[in-house]
Amino acid sequence: MFRSPRSSFLAVGLIALGLPFAGTRIAHAEDFISRVPTLHVAINQLQNQAQLAEQLRGEGYMDVVLSSTYPSPANPNPQNNPTLTSHPEQTPVHSGWNGVAVRNGVTFQVYADR
């Protein structure tokens, strides 16, 4: 089969363009998904979020911030809104996400289970 000098030049050029990427890894979907540390607590005797925060502090968690509402696309971090975190003694612990707590430098999402 006859190859023109132009097609050989083109092939060498394409190979040369790809060489810088020869040792690199192509990104996969799982590279973009990370697991968030979660903490599950039982609601059994807990009446309000102040009691939950006290329990978590007793277990070595710090910076416990609980919210009266769940995260949403419009408000992904309700724990950062002081109006949603200002009265934990009046906010009942609800099933599901309640806020965040830090232990050993790791931030955990706090979930309450019935």
Side-chain angles (χ1 to χ4, degrees):
M1 173 180 208
F2 174 74
R3 289 196 175 155
S4 71
R6 183 177 175 173
S7 65
S8 295
F9 180 74
L10 182 61
V12 170
L14 290 173
I15 291 171
L17 285 174
L19 284 177
F21 303 104
T24 61
R25 188 171 156 253
I26 296 175
H28 296 291
E30 64 268 11
D31 292 338
F32 300 108
I33 299 171
S34 65
R35 294 184 183 221
V36 176
T38 58
L39 168 64
H40 289 269
V41 295
I43 294 180
N44 298 339
Q45 300 297 320
L46 297 173
Q47 300 296 319
N48 59 53
Q49 288 184 338
Q51 292 171 322
L52 174 57
E54 184 178 324
Q55 175 184 326
L56 294 175
R57 286 186 194 100
E59 294 174 8
Y61 290 90
M62 303 171 19
D63 301 324
V64 178
V65 183
L66 305 174
S67 174
S68 61
T69 187
Y70 297 102
S72 69
N75 187 13
N77 297 299
Q79 75 275 9
N80 294 338
N81 184 337
T83 61
L84 300 174
T85 61
S86 59
H87 296 289
E89 70 286 348
Q90 297 173 2
T91 305
V93 174
H94 49 266
S95 292
W97 186 89
N98 276 265
V100 296
V102 177
R103 187 173 185 181
N104 298 327
V106 177
T107 300
F108 289 81
Q109 303 294 315
V110 179
Y111 286 85
D113 303 313
R114 294 211 182 264

